[in-house]
Amino acid sequence: MIIVHGGAGDWKQDKLAAALPEVEKAATIGFQILRNGGSCLDAAEACTLHMEECGKLNAGVGARSNLDGVQELDAMIVDGVNLKSGSVMAVTGVRHPISLARFAMEKTPHSQFAGEGVKKLYERMLAEGYRKETSPGVTSSPFHSQGGDTVGCVAVDVHAHIAATSSTGGIPDKMAGRVGDSPIFGAGAYADDTCGATATGWGEHIIRVLLCKTVVSYVDDGLDPQAAASRGIDLLKSKTGSQAGVVVADSAGRYGLAMNTKAMPTVVICGKSASFRRFTSTADLQA
Ligand code: ASP
């Protein structure tokens, strides 16, 4: 199974219409890998990489800029099998921070990178041939979406292993150097061996309730993923008054999503039959 979102926010209709096909494509790319027996990490990275590459979402190429006009990107990948994660924070000049986050997780003894060292890490990743650039490591592009939000996914592979990702240009009007929830383990994404979650919304507030870890704990304690997602958003709202969205999937093949924003383009593909569902708002959940 893969559940993928393109960000929770106050989406304008035209932006939503442009974003949804990219979220669908990302989900299809990830699901194809899972279907062929690939790992949840491979699926989650490839899925997220498409959303970073498409230019229609607030990640990678399409990321919104900070107040200084610079795209500073945050991304994280979580491996639920061993509770490992890799994060990169406020990265510039990198097209696919999700791959760099995975490199950090798999090829270094550390989990979080920021500052000048991220550039060195990026150089090392290329030098070791871990990932290649499709074009020189530039994240500026003609496509500035400015209308979407963080992207992320939770992938569950044939071994029932779970990976979760998040990747973002951050909130509007962010100051230079600001880092949100997206690369923070337990806040922007989290997974263990039974459940995974990834969040989107106002990072300063998502961090306050460690939204993804909280939602996964609800599932670990016996709630079904849909109830857990809704309860997580209720908690965020009651504790902070803020807005967010969260998507969840567990190793039993169940999923859930919740938001208290206008929309959150979300696609789920699951099972042998590749059953496909698309959601844009809470109303779709009731349909
Ligand atoms: N959570 C992201 C952040 O605070 C933004 C978003 O999801 O829209 O950086």
Side-chain angles (χ1 to χ4, degrees):
M1 167 195 291
I2 193 158
I3 181 164
V4 188
H5 76 79
D10 185 22
W11 284 86
K12 302 240 168 4
Q13 239 357 351
D14 58 330
K15 295 273 187 305
L16 193 59
L20 203 50
E22 303 300 346
V23 178
E24 288 177 15
K25 185 147 186 228
T28 305
I29 289 168
F31 188 74
Q32 204 52 48
I33 291 172
L34 297 170
R35 197 173 216 187
N36 293 338
S39 75
C40 55
L41 287 168
D42 284 349
E45 181 188 351
C47 166
T48 307
L49 193 141
H50 175 76
M51 294 191 283
E52 291 175 340
E53 183 65 29
C54 73
K56 303 285 194 302
L57 299 161
N58 178 22
V61 173
R64 63 165 60 93
S65 304
N66 66 17
L67 283 173
D68 292 356
V70 178
Q71 288 175 309
E72 285 186 337
L73 311 181
D74 302 329
M76 173 165 61
I77 189 162
V78 181
D79 180 354
V81 173
N82 49 24
L83 296 174
K84 283 184 81 178
S85 64
S87 293
V88 291
M89 303 177 182
V91 181
T92 56
V94 172
R95 199 178 179 102
H96 300 131
I98 195 62
S99 298
L100 193 56
R102 186 172 175 190
F103 182 73
M105 177 175 77
E106 294 187 335
K107 302 291 178 189
T108 80
H110 309 304
S111 55
Q112 302 184 164
F113 282 82
E116 280 302 304
V118 180
K119 291 204 170 70
K120 282 194 200 157
L121 190 72
Y122 182 61
E123 294 306 324
R124 192 177 130 189
M125 179 178 85
L126 297 180
E128 289 183 14
Y130 183 84
R131 296 289 180 272
K132 289 195 176 66
E133 287 178 318
T134 51
S135 62
V138 180
T139 52
S140 58
S141 94
F143 314 102
H144 285 269
S145 70
Q146 304 289 357
D149 281 292
T150 298
V151 306
C153 72
V154 182
V156 187
D157 66 25
V158 289
H159 306 292
H161 294 158
I162 304 170
T165 62
S166 55
S167 183
T168 190
I171 53 171
D173 301 327
K174 73 173 185 180
M175 294 166 67
R178 177 265 185 192
V179 173
D181 61 302
S182 304
I184 306 296
F185 188 64
Y190 183 79
D192 61 19
D193 51 3
T194 55
C195 185
T198 185
T200 161
W202 198 344
E204 280 74 359
H205 303 303
I206 290 172
I207 289 169
R208 291 167 69 192
V209 295
L210 279 180
L211 184 59
C212 289
K213 165 62 178 152
T214 299
V215 166
V216 169
S217 295
Y218 290 154
V219 176
D220 289 343
D221 290 345
L223 228 54
D224 73 72
Q226 183 52 51
S230 300
R231 192 164 156 197
I233 294 299
D234 288 348
L235 176 78
L236 175 102
K237 199 175 168 202
S238 69
K239 293 282 184 198
T240 73
S242 193
Q243 292 191 307
V246 66
V247 305
V248 191
D250 76 0
S251 54
R254 304 177 303 171
Y255 66 87
L257 62 138
M259 75 206 84
N260 63 347
T261 56
K262 184 172 160 194
M264 178 173 70
T266 303
V267 171
V268 184
I269 312 181
C270 55
K272 285 204 173 77
S273 59
S275 104
F276 181 99
R277 285 205 68 184
R278 177 195 301 124
F279 306 88
T280 52
S281 67
T282 307
D284 295 335
L285 272 170
Q286 278 122 32

